[in-house]
Amino acid sequence: MGSQARDDPATVPCLLGKASAAALVAGATVCCLLPQLPPAWGAWSGLAAGGALWLRRWRGRWLGPLLVGASWAALHGHWALDAQLPPHAAPLDRTVSGRVIDLPDHQPHASRFLLRIDGSDATPPGLRGRRVQVYWSAPFARPGGSSPEADVDGSVTRLSVAAGARWQLPLRLRAPRSRINPGGFDGERHALALGIIGSAQVRGGAQARELAAGHGLPAWREAMASRVDMRVGADTARFVRALALGDTRGLQDSDWEQLRALGLTHLIAISGFHVGLVAGGFALLVGGAWRCASVLPRLLPRPTAAAMAAAAGAMAYALVAGLALPTVRTALMIVVVALARATRRRLPWAQSLALAAFATLLVTPLSVLAAGFWLSFGGVLWLLWCLPGGGRPETGLRGLLKPFFAAQGVASLALLPLGISLFGQASRIGPLVNLVAVPWWSLVVVPLALLGTALEAIHPGLGGWAWRLAGWTFDLSWHWLQPAAGWAGAVWWVPAAPRWTLPMALAGVFWWLLPRGRGGLLAAPLLCLPLLWPARQLPVPGAVELLVLDVGQGTAVLVRTTTHSLLYDLGPPGVGAGTDAGERVVVPALRALATGPPDRVLLSHGDADHAGGLPGLRRWLPAVPVMAPVGSGVAGAAPCHRGQQWQWDGVEFRVLYPPLGHRERGNESSCVLRIGTAHGALLLAGDIGRRSEAWLLQAGRQDLAAAAVLVPHHGSAGSSSAAWVLAVAPRLALVSAGHRNRFGHPRAEVVQRWHDAGAEVLGTAGSGALRVWLDGQGLHVREQRVHESRWWDAVGRERAAAILSVDKQAADGPEG
């Protein structure tokens, strides 16, 4: 009887059912959360064992897809990492030919695009057919390789990098590597998810030449985007392009800020709903044709023809939209339902969602690394769970509005934990704004934009009126929505929380939304509290925390006490507006750590790698007070000089250098800050050199002793003299420098000098952001790359390769 119960068909999960799909997703997710990948042989073994368990009919069948998901994701992880350029290898200079496979992003002084390298015999084997992210900092025409070609007005002619074009480019190729900070963007994960093997910088643009003009789908999308610009007003064209083609290149940072404040970022780009509209339109057209022509139903039944048309339209539009994950997910669901309809089988939407998950993860199991996977599948899953239908539907206006408001409420509440965990923010006014924007944009603006695209594809010029009408209807709503986006409290920035808080919050929302779960109305929100209001981990009175941010070749340090904070330097500038370290690194770190506006910004000096992030910080915090040395050139900064001191929460801050009346400029004018506590001191030395060090030694050697020091001038050979190192005598020496920077910082002899003085030397290039605590329990340090270990981490793989190299050398030696 026990064996029969175990094999009861009613209790055995379906081979491709919802439980198996959930197990497959869970397995792939668990693999992607591991700090290290299991070995390839283990993954192959797990795949074979999981397949056997999955094919067997028994109650524990879900264990099969769970093991298959984890093993298949692990194998894809190994293949993806093996395809990437080795992280420990030096930059590779190669001239390659390839095709631009996306829509190039052109900025005033640079272009960025995705290049698929040709698979010809002339290409090195490791690069054939691979994708690289190319940055061209000055794509100007240089005839004869001598001087830029000037137009009549004296301006320089810019080379046009078109989508779908083939180019021959001299590239400097590097393995994927990103700066790792609290609240920061993980570029290494992004490259892994998109199959990018490395980044490339065009070197010697005079040798670049176009081999073939743009063609194919990317060129068609770019041509359509250009037609939108020509036929729609300049103020609205960028939004119509985004809605019609998924082309968001024209949207500025200010546009995204307003969309985030309004909670409308999910509507502005191509979504699954757009694909559904296209599929429905194709089905209606074919259904109408079948009704009008009596001969057609004799060839193919009308329901079957409409289903096949819907599937074809969905897949075609997914291609037009660039195969974004939400469009692919919806297209797969429509294809599955269409196939079921064509074979006269009814397929519930929940089962079609499960089959779409199988199709996605069995082809690309690393899709779980993308936020779009969770938002698209999660949103549909919540709606299917909370709005199951059934019963007698209501009629009239109430019957139309009730499901709409219910769906909006479910989406706003159910996706809140996911949105906060993925993006660290939520819109306070989003649920109300969506009640107006969703029906207007989805039922009026988007169909007009899609109609314009379809007509323009039939014949150039036919779609202009529809695009213009789409732009007019969009402006009509945008005019009333923009004032709400200007409200300072529209965006709720939530501090970063531990990983375990997300499943707890999802369980709380699930409990809250149970059809009969009235007992969760009070208890369920408590499960969401750790995610929505995480602990801030502030220092106790008398203690201090130091966060050396990973900004590349530059410096940015956050100092926190119990109730105050200070920023020491702000990192380098960017290549365009909104790209400096202040906006891209410092502000997200402040938000992730729940640190409000700093009480003070102290710039060591005015060099770009230390003060370049000030414009980005001032954009978000215009009233923050700034101090800098006299002659630094920092507008609105109060002078910084020796003798200044203040106290916060039992921690003393003293400026040791430069002296009052100091006339030197540049590095030798750097403000040196001493942070003293009852448990020791921290020393931030800017870019001072040996002359400034000698002056400080003479002015007060006793003031230099510190438990931890920010190594002067990124560890250059012109600083960290032997006498200075002995006077400071720290236990921890911190180096803020870029990976493989052109200056060779930190110099080996400087690092050795600090080692000889008994200090542990850590650098942001290898550790990511460095977080240091000094309190009653002593000195503590945490490396961001180690604390948030990921199996795709470039530094971890680099260290593993170095260990393997040493082991191989030992094995190949005389004793081996």
Side-chain angles (χ1 to χ4, degrees):
M1 293 294 292
S3 175
Q4 292 178 0
R6 284 193 298 271
D7 295 336
D8 184 1
T11 63
V12 174
C14 178
L15 181 68
L16 298 178
K18 298 183 289 292
S20 297
L24 187 72
V25 172
T29 304
V30 167
C31 176
C32 290
L33 292 176
L34 293 175
Q36 296 291 334
L37 279 178
W41 63 266
W44 280 114
S45 302
L47 186 64
L53 293 174
W54 195 353
L55 294 175
R56 181 186 174 191
R57 294 180 57 84
W58 64 305
R59 280 187 178 180
R61 170 178 268 176
W62 60 271
L63 291 173
L66 181 72
L67 191 55
V68 167
S71 303
W72 192 230
L75 287 172
H76 273 258
H78 280 293
W79 296 334
L81 294 182
D82 290 342
Q84 288 184 353
L85 296 174
H88 57 278
L92 184 67
D93 290 321
R94 288 287 186 275
T95 297
V96 302
S97 59
R99 184 168 179 248
V100 180
I101 59 174
D102 68 342
L103 299 177
D105 184 13
H106 301 298
Q107 298 299 326
H109 301 289
S111 293
R112 182 179 64 179
F113 51 90
L114 201 60
L115 185 78
R116 185 173 61 227
I117 300 175
D118 291 342
S120 62
D121 294 338
T123 305
L127 300 178
R128 293 174 187 170
R130 305 297 188 185
R131 295 181 173 190
V132 292
Q133 186 72 62
V134 179
Y135 301 87
W136 197 342
S137 60
F140 301 122
R142 299 178 183 274
S146 55
S147 60
E149 177 185 347
D151 292 335
V152 176
D153 59 356
S155 62
V156 177
T157 301
R158 179 168 181 159
L159 291 173
S160 176
V161 180
R166 286 188 65 247
W167 279 82
Q168 185 180 76
L169 298 170
L171 301 178
R172 172 159 289 182
L173 297 145
R174 292 180 173 87
R177 193 183 188 99
S178 66
R179 298 160 189 172
I180 306 300
N181 294 286
F185 174 70
D186 189 348
E188 295 163 19
R189 171 177 174 164
H190 178 72
L192 184 75
L194 294 183
I196 297 173
I197 69 162
S199 61
Q201 180 76 36
V202 177
R203 310 280 292 185
Q207 287 75 45
R209 60 190 182 95
E210 188 177 33
L211 302 178
H215 66 282
L217 185 60
W220 182 87
R221 294 184 67 210
E222 189 170 54
M224 281 290 180
S226 299
R227 294 181 194 176
V228 172
D229 289 339
M230 289 188 295
R231 291 170 171 79
V232 183
D235 294 336
T236 314
R238 64 189 188 279
F239 291 103
V240 177
R241 282 166 51 184
L243 292 169
L245 299 164
D247 178 11
T248 59
R249 295 175 298 166
L251 298 181
Q252 305 299 317
D253 287 343
S254 57
D255 295 326
W256 288 114
E257 290 163 17
Q258 291 178 326
L259 291 168
R260 279 195 295 267
L262 296 169
L264 296 177
T265 53
H266 65 291
L267 288 180
I268 198 61
I270 296 296
S271 68
F273 183 77
H274 301 162
V275 183
L277 286 176
V278 173
F282 271 67
L284 288 175
L285 288 175
V286 170
W290 253 245
R291 290 182 186 274
C292 295
S294 58
V295 68
L296 293 178
R298 299 174 186 175
L299 301 176
L300 190 67
R302 182 176 57 84
T304 301
M308 294 176 64
M315 293 306 298
Y317 191 64
L319 288 171
V320 170
L323 294 177
L325 186 61
T327 65
V328 172
R329 183 263 304 166
T330 306
L332 287 173
M333 290 178 62
I334 292 172
V335 168
V336 168
V337 173
L339 289 175
R341 187 70 181 269
T343 56
R344 307 293 179 91
R345 298 182 60 182
R346 296 189 62 84
L347 193 65
W349 277 104
Q351 182 59 38
S352 68
L353 183 69
L355 293 178
F358 284 122
T360 302
L361 292 184
L362 291 178
V363 176
T364 56
L366 299 183
S367 296
V368 295
L369 292 172
F373 176 89
W374 297 104
L375 293 176
S376 58
F377 278 94
V380 176
L381 189 62
W382 276 118
L383 291 174
L384 290 174
W385 167 255
C386 298
L387 305 173
R392 186 174 182 178
E394 299 185 39
T395 59
L397 184 62
R398 178 182 175 88
L400 292 174
L401 295 181
K402 185 176 179 180
F404 170 73
F405 283 110
Q408 287 299 308
V410 168
S412 299
L413 178 63
L415 293 180
L416 181 65
L418 271 176
I420 287 176
S421 179
L422 293 170
F423 307 115
Q425 57 90 25
S427 172
R428 289 189 174 96
I429 60 176
L432 294 177
V433 171
N434 274 262
L435 291 177
V436 178
V438 166
W440 183 253
W441 288 12
S442 299
L443 301 179
V444 179
V445 181
V446 171
L448 287 171
L450 299 180
L451 177 61
T453 305
L455 293 176
E456 197 71 18
I458 295 173
H459 189 276
L462 286 182
W465 67 269
W467 280 337
R468 285 190 292 272
L469 191 55
W472 180 80
T473 55
F474 176 86
D475 277 340
L476 195 64
S477 61
W478 193 242
H479 174 73
W480 296 101
L481 291 173
Q482 278 185 302
W487 176 44
V491 180
W492 175 26
W493 296 101
V494 184
R499 287 177 177 174
W500 57 266
T501 60
L502 176 59
M504 182 177 288
L506 290 175
V509 171
F510 177 80
W511 190 1
W512 205 350
L513 294 177
L514 280 174
R516 303 178 185 274
R518 300 185 183 275
L521 290 179
L522 294 178
L526 296 178
L527 296 176
C528 300
L529 284 178
L531 174 67
L532 303 181
W533 287 277
R536 295 181 62 189
Q537 299 180 342
L538 291 170
V540 298
V544 66
E545 176 190 306
L546 197 73
L547 178 65
V548 183
L549 293 165
D550 182 8
V551 294
Q553 187 62 20
T555 301
V557 181
L558 172 65
V559 183
R560 298 202 300 176
T561 63
T562 307
T563 60
H564 294 82
S565 63
L566 173 143
L567 283 169
Y568 182 87
D569 287 340
L570 295 171
V575 296
T579 61
D580 61 55
E583 187 162 358
R584 296 302 186 193
V585 177
V586 177
V587 171
L590 293 176
R591 290 170 177 162
L593 298 174
T595 302
D599 298 272
R600 190 171 302 177
V601 172
L602 177 58
L603 297 177
S604 62
H605 58 303
D607 283 3
D609 57 334
H610 294 253
L614 182 60
L617 182 73
R618 277 180 167 166
R619 184 164 173 263
W620 289 96
L621 305 170
V624 63
V626 179
M627 296 173 61
V630 175
S632 61
V634 179
C640 161
H641 56 78
R642 182 179 177 86
Q644 293 172 320
Q645 61 182 26
W646 62 94
Q647 193 173 92
W648 289 339
D649 304 314
V651 179
E652 182 187 51
F653 293 78
R654 291 171 54 199
V655 178
L656 303 182
Y657 191 84
L660 188 62
H662 187 72
R663 297 188 179 278
E664 285 206 58
R665 300 293 183 263
N667 292 344
E668 297 295 349
S669 69
S670 295
C671 291
V672 177
L673 181 65
R674 183 183 189 273
I675 306 169
T677 73
H679 318 295
L682 305 174
L683 195 62
L684 306 179
D687 272 3
I688 62 172
R690 292 175 181 266
R691 281 184 296 163
S692 302
E693 292 173 355
W695 190 96
L696 283 165
L697 287 168
Q698 187 176 7
R701 188 184 185 95
Q702 68 282 356
D703 294 333
L704 302 179
V709 62
L710 184 66
V711 173
H713 201 190
H714 319 288
S716 74
S719 61
S720 298
S721 62
W724 164 268
V725 171
L726 290 176
V728 178
R731 284 178 285 161
L732 188 62
L734 309 173
V735 180
S736 181
H739 175 65
R740 296 187 188 274
N741 63 84
R742 61 192 178 95
F743 307 102
H745 297 161
R747 294 302 182 96
E749 63 273 18
V750 172
V751 172
Q752 187 60 48
R753 207 173 294 147
W754 288 105
H755 276 310
D756 293 342
E760 179 184 5
V761 180
L762 295 176
T764 56
S767 302
L770 292 163
R771 200 168 179 180
V772 178
W773 293 270
L774 185 58
D775 54 25
Q777 298 181 348
L779 182 69
H780 310 274
V781 63
R782 187 171 75 191
E783 302 171 72
Q784 187 76 13
R785 284 188 181 270
V786 176
H787 176 65
E788 296 185 357
S789 182
R790 306 112 57 230
W791 50 261
W792 57 84
D793 179 62
V795 174
R797 295 162 54 211
E798 189 173 0
R799 290 170 179 165
I803 293 172
L804 289 174
S805 177
V806 171
D807 291 345
K808 185 178 184 304
Q809 290 176 13
D812 292 342
E815 293 83 1

